Amino acid sequence: MSLPHALITALIERPCSGLELARRFDRSIGYFWHATHQQIYRELGRLEAQGWLESLPPEAGRGRKKVYQALPAGRAELQRWVGESRDQKPMRDELMLRLRAEALVGPTAIVDDIARRLQMHRDTLALYQKIELRDFSAADASREQQIQHLILNAGLMLETMWIEWSEKALQVLAAPASE
Amino acid sequence: MSLPHALITALIERPCSGLELARRFDRSIGYFWHATHQQIYRELGRLEAQGWLESLPPEAGRGRKKVYQALPAGRAELQRWVGESRDQKPMRDELMLRLRAEALVGPTAIVDDIARRLQMHRDTLALYQKIELRDFSAADASREQQIQHLILNAGLMLETMWIEWSEKALQVLAAPASE
DNA sequence: ACAACCATGTAAGTAGTTACATGATTTA
DNA sequence: TAAATCATGTAACTACTTACATGGTTGT
């Protein structure tokens, strides 16, 4: 149950509407927890019903912008949740599955996918580096900033790792089979 | 829809029963695609109904071991699936969410979780290194082996990266706040 | 008044999780 | 013969995805 808490976090950082949240999830928060607008709207409804959020304005139906903000109860719940320790969910990477299958029934055009993925990782890395330069150049950072920098660093390191791996993979798959 | 294809792959590599599959998913394949025995049994039923697998033996009910093997149709479907290119699913990492929340409502005992996670990554890395030494020492590897080595390498690099990150995170979180 | 876009939602389906039930085989 | 373990499954639930529907606002 991470999405509700991701939403409360986002709304404490800055109150906004569902669609704006969806957009913010395509950036910062979404780099580590993706969500679609359908999920977000549904969850916002639940969270409001539970008394963890409130929607400020015009009380109207469809098509009317509703800005949400976190309530003290939501903040308390977030605090409880952060303190709780949980095992990490096992990762799932479809490309690795496909590679393993390719080893059996290949060769196929999977190199193209890896090349495409390499390009995506390069783009993402460039984006993260831009963000780092923009937001985390100051030497005297607050605890909050240091933690956010840490999160960005995980992203930087992950992308770098995948770039390195993809380049290696392309080498191996391009080489003539020695068998 | 990755689980069915992960199962077909595993059964081409070596026919076996549902429970054995569940155990194999705690090792090799499971490192990149986790599945519980409930999921596996359900999926095996579907795949058999579809004509992609067959169960060999004793036609009996509950409690009787059923060994599955892939049929040509299953192999063909796997080939089709491997050739299909798909975007990768966005990643989800709860710890990063919790960190971001911690920056707002903390400090909490999240360092303990990171320390625990660091230990797990170290253990996993050690395991992967053992596997590499055992299975991939030979210089003259077949294409299949090279690809499997590539997959293991992703695991090795990933664990190394997370160890490095966790160590850095512990430093940052242990340091006195400068704000 | 109509197109484009902003914004909120519904519905149906798939995948994954958690808890429990039941039969068969081994072994103390 | 009772306990432990191997093995297959059911049921209920939660989370996520995909496709579509509807209302509101702004610009031409």
Side-chain angles (χ1 to χ4, degrees), chain B residues 17-73:
Chain B
S17 71
L19 196 61
E20 284 173 292
L21 273 173
R23 285 203 256 267
R24 286 170 68 189
F25 267 74
D26 283 338
R27 300 192 304 276
S28 53
I29 306 172
Y31 297 142
F32 286 107
W33 203 273
H34 175 262
T36 62
H37 82 268
Q38 292 90 339
Q39 264 181 293
I40 290 173
Y41 283 124
R42 199 189 329 146
E43 206 59 51
L44 284 172
R46 286 179 192 158
L47 291 171
E48 190 178 14
Q50 195 138 22
W52 290 345
L53 306 178
E54 63 178 354
S55 60
L56 305 174
E59 301 294 332
R62 252 178 153 131
R64 305 304 282 266
K65 188 170 175 174
K66 270 161 79 177
V67 171
Y68 288 91
Q69 70 180 9
L71 291 172

Side-chain angles (χ1 to χ4, degrees), chain A residues 1 3 33-34 36 38-39 42 46 62-64:
Chain A
M1 287 254 294
L3 179 57
W33 204 270
H34 176 261
T36 62
Q38 292 88 340
Q39 265 181 291
R42 195 179 340 134
R46 286 180 193 159
R62 253 174 153 136
R64 305 304 283 264

Side-chain angles (χ1 to χ4, degrees), chain A residues 123-165:
Chain A
D123 293 346
T124 308
L125 178 61
L127 175 63
Y128 289 173
Q129 285 169 336
K130 224 173 93 184
I131 294 175
E132 185 176 35
L133 220 72
R134 190 193 64 198
D135 296 347
F136 300 104
S137 289
D140 57 328
S142 64
R143 177 184 157 86
E144 184 177 338
Q145 269 191 309
Q146 284 182 328
I147 291 177
Q148 277 169 1
H149 196 177
L150 210 49
I151 297 169
L152 181 63
N153 249 301
L156 287 162
M157 291 167 76
L158 257 182
E159 297 305 322
T160 303
M161 181 249 128
W162 279 118
I163 289 168
E164 199 186 325
W165 180 86

Side-chain angles (χ1 to χ4, degrees), chain B residues 2-158:
Chain B
S2 300
L3 179 57
H5 301 92
L7 292 173
I8 298 173
T9 303
L11 290 173
I12 291 177
E13 289 176 349
R14 180 163 57 79
C16 69
S17 71
L19 196 61
E20 284 173 292
L21 273 173
R23 285 203 256 267
R24 286 170 68 189
F25 267 74
D26 283 338
R27 300 192 304 276
S28 53
I29 306 172
Y31 297 142
F32 286 107
W33 203 273
H34 175 262
T36 62
H37 82 268
Q38 292 90 339
Q39 264 181 293
I40 290 173
Y41 283 124
R42 199 189 329 146
E43 206 59 51
L44 284 172
R46 286 179 192 158
L47 291 171
E48 190 178 14
Q50 195 138 22
W52 290 345
L53 306 178
E54 63 178 354
S55 60
L56 305 174
E59 301 294 332
R62 252 178 153 131
R64 305 304 282 266
K65 188 170 175 174
K66 270 161 79 177
V67 171
Y68 288 91
Q69 70 180 9
L71 291 172
R75 198 187 180 90
E77 163 59 22
L78 188 63
Q79 204 147 22
R80 188 199 62 72
W81 177 79
V82 173
E84 232 184 30
S85 89
R86 265 174 314 287
D87 290 338
Q88 66 175 319
K89 293 268 184 294
M91 71 162 303
R92 292 202 157 112
D93 191 329
E94 204 180 71
L95 184 61
M96 295 302 135
L97 280 190
R98 284 177 62 209
L99 255 185
R100 185 151 179 164
E102 217 260 3
L104 292 180
V105 301
T108 68
I110 203 170
V111 269
D112 299 345
D113 272 45
I114 295 176
R116 197 156 52 89
R117 188 159 151 164
L118 171 58
Q119 193 50 55
M120 282 184 34
H121 287 305
R122 282 185 175 143
D123 294 345
T124 308
L125 179 61
L127 173 64
Y128 288 173
Q129 285 169 337
K130 225 174 92 185
I131 294 175
E132 185 176 35
L133 220 73
R134 190 192 63 197
D135 297 346
F136 302 104
S137 288
D140 57 327
S142 67
R143 178 184 156 85
E144 185 178 336
Q145 270 191 308
Q146 284 182 330
I147 291 177
Q148 277 167 3
H149 196 177
L150 211 49
I151 296 169
L152 181 62
N153 250 300
L156 286 163
M157 290 167 76
L158 211 51

